[in-house]
Amino acid sequence: MSFEFIKKLPTPDEIREQYPVPAKVAEAKRERDAEIREVLNGSSNKFLVIIGPCSADNEDSVCDYVNRLAKVNEQVKDKLILIPRIYTNKPRTTGEGYKGMVHQPNPEKDTDFLAGLLAIRHMHIRAAQESGLTAADEMLYPENWGYLSDLLSYVAVGARSVEDQQHRLTVSGFDVPAGMKNPTSGDFSVMMNSVYAAQHGHSFIYRGWEVNTTGNELAHTILRGATNKHGNNTPNYHYEDIMRLVEMYDKMDLKNPACVIDANHSNSNKKFEQQIRIVKEIMHNRKINSDINKLVKGVMIESYIEEGCQKVGGGVYGKSITDPCLGWEDSEKLIYNIADTIV
């Protein structure tokens, strides 16, 4: 056998028992889940802004960022719902680079899975307890979902995972919104088929159990740009791209048509400062076209305390060690600009 089984890790139930959700956080999650649901099903005109670091690499700086975000949220909560990105997994499959807090709670050291599981749960609880804002995370590993499922208000399925059957089936059992990104190829039909699968019920094997799901009617699309065979990035946030998605939704039997647009990644060619211009274009297109206004329910923005990025061990507080991010000052201005465009 090619697998070497090192040690058995605690189950999600055991980790949740060790770090239970405080009553205040559970109540905040119920309220925010209801608010976000109303945006995605069209009964609320509020707009989602999913914003935060590329990777949640340090508990203190992440919680500092989320607390800053909470203060801004108080000023815009009549128009926007701010959802902090607390992303604890990073898809580094080449063997190099930071793999996220769940694997490396200390970015400068080797993997420590048990410490990582405890660290991500503690960080999510602390951030929500201090700020009142429950967060978004990416589901890179479906079997790890249970470690945070009682804390998250939004889940993203990445471009490299959206074609995977286990991701689609797992999302079909969620009780929170799940955004399915277009694959790196940019093929909209793959993304739409993923949403279709996630919105329907399934029977499958999960964590050694035979399970049934009823479908997740809040599964929706995320446009994040594409990469062609030459490695060049192609954006898909423009007017024509969104109208093509509107037409595809019209042809499919999907509940709650909705799209969130990721302003970074291949849409910005990872030029983080371009997120400001891209978001402004998205908001302009919502303003001039009622179909786009109805479909586009939010944006994703990569943002941290300090702009840009640094190498692991760089030592700059609140600066990304993965992809470059907008700094706090520009992020705050952009949030207020978004709010000003919402009628």
Side-chain angles (χ1 to χ4, degrees):
M1 180 178 288
S2 59
F3 285 91
E4 180 184 1
F5 291 87
I6 308 300
K7 62 180 177 181
K8 185 172 177 60
L9 294 170
T11 66
D13 286 342
E14 290 168 339
I15 294 288
R16 288 158 79 159
E17 184 177 350
Q18 185 169 350
Y19 281 117
V21 176
K24 182 179 177 181
V25 173
E27 180 58 28
K29 173 174 158 53
R30 282 191 291 270
E31 292 176 0
R32 282 172 58 80
D33 288 358
E35 282 189 310
I36 296 167
R37 172 180 289 274
E38 288 176 354
V39 173
L40 291 170
N41 67 22
S43 59
S44 169
N45 290 326
K46 289 185 180 181
F47 192 72
L48 306 179
V49 179
I50 303 161
I51 183 169
C54 173
S55 61
D57 59 298
N58 177 279
E59 180 178 305
D60 288 340
S61 57
V62 167
C63 290
D64 181 351
Y65 178 91
V66 175
N67 284 323
R68 297 180 188 207
L69 202 63
K71 294 177 182 178
V72 178
N73 187 68
E74 283 300 307
Q75 303 301 314
V76 299
K77 62 183 180 180
D78 58 327
K79 294 183 177 182
L80 307 180
I81 299 175
L82 304 186
I83 305 174
R85 284 173 52 107
I86 302 182
Y87 278 32
T88 56
N89 299 274
K90 297 305 297 177
R92 299 289 185 263
T93 54
T94 61
E96 298 179 359
Y98 177 55
K99 293 182 174 66
M101 186 179 283
V102 71
H103 288 102
Q104 294 170 264
N106 184 333
E108 298 180 55
K109 294 185 178 181
D110 292 333
T111 56
D112 186 339
F113 299 126
L114 176 56
L117 291 172
L118 297 175
I120 63 171
R121 187 161 176 85
H122 185 272
M123 177 172 57
H124 270 281
I125 290 174
R126 176 184 166 188
Q129 201 164 19
E130 291 180 358
S131 69
L133 302 181
T134 47
D137 202 342
E138 179 178 356
M139 185 181 69
L140 189 58
Y141 307 102
E143 290 210 348
N144 290 354
W145 155 249
Y147 292 108
L148 294 175
S149 59
D150 56 341
L151 285 163
L152 301 177
S153 285
Y154 187 95
V155 176
V157 174
R160 296 161 189 82
S161 302
V162 73
E163 298 184 67
D164 177 64
Q165 182 74 342
Q166 193 71 7
H167 281 80
R168 296 176 174 189
L169 297 179
T170 304
V171 168
S172 74
F174 284 8
D175 59 357
V176 295
M180 317 296 277
K181 291 193 173 185
N182 64 261
T184 54
S185 68
D187 189 339
F188 278 20
S189 63
V190 169
M191 172 179 62
M192 297 298 284
N193 288 337
S194 186
V195 173
Y196 185 92
Q199 287 199 358
H200 289 76
H202 300 278
S203 299
F204 59 103
I205 298 171
Y206 183 71
R207 297 186 65 88
W209 287 83
E210 178 182 336
V211 299
N212 293 323
T213 61
T214 56
N216 182 355
E217 63 181 21
L218 299 181
H220 58 278
T221 56
I222 300 176
L223 299 183
R224 49 86 70 200
T227 305
N228 66 23
K229 64 181 180 180
H230 303 293
N232 299 319
N233 289 325
T234 305
N236 59 13
Y237 62 85
H238 294 305
Y239 183 97
E240 295 79 8
D241 300 302
I242 305 172
M243 288 307 299
R244 181 158 70 93
L245 187 59
V246 168
E247 293 173 2
M248 294 182 76
Y249 261 112
D250 287 343
K251 294 176 181 178
M252 295 187 71
D253 180 25
L254 292 171
K255 298 177 181 178
N256 304 316
C259 174
V260 170
I261 300 181
D262 182 344
N264 211 20
H265 296 98
S266 293
N267 270 331
S268 69
N269 200 23
K270 293 194 176 181
K271 296 179 179 178
F272 68 92
E273 70 279 0
Q274 292 300 312
Q275 294 182 99
I276 298 170
R277 175 189 58 78
I278 290 167
V279 169
K280 289 181 178 179
E281 179 177 327
I282 293 164
M283 302 313 293
H284 173 72
N285 288 335
R286 290 183 84 243
K287 186 175 181 179
I288 65 174
N289 186 292
S290 60
D291 289 332
I292 292 177
N293 186 76
K294 186 177 180 181
L295 182 68
V296 177
K297 307 288 190 182
V299 290
M300 280 187 170
I301 301 165
E302 290 197 321
S303 155
Y304 214 171
I305 296 170
E306 300 294 335
E307 72 173 23
C309 64
Q310 63 183 330
K311 293 181 179 179
V312 173
V316 179
Y317 177 83
K319 191 170 188 176
S320 176
I321 60 172
T322 48
D323 290 348
C325 299
L326 278 182
W328 174 252
E329 185 176 335
D330 284 337
S331 302
E332 185 177 17
K333 289 178 181 177
L334 183 55
I335 292 169
Y336 287 129
N337 182 271
I338 295 170
D340 287 343
T341 68
I342 304 295
V343 179

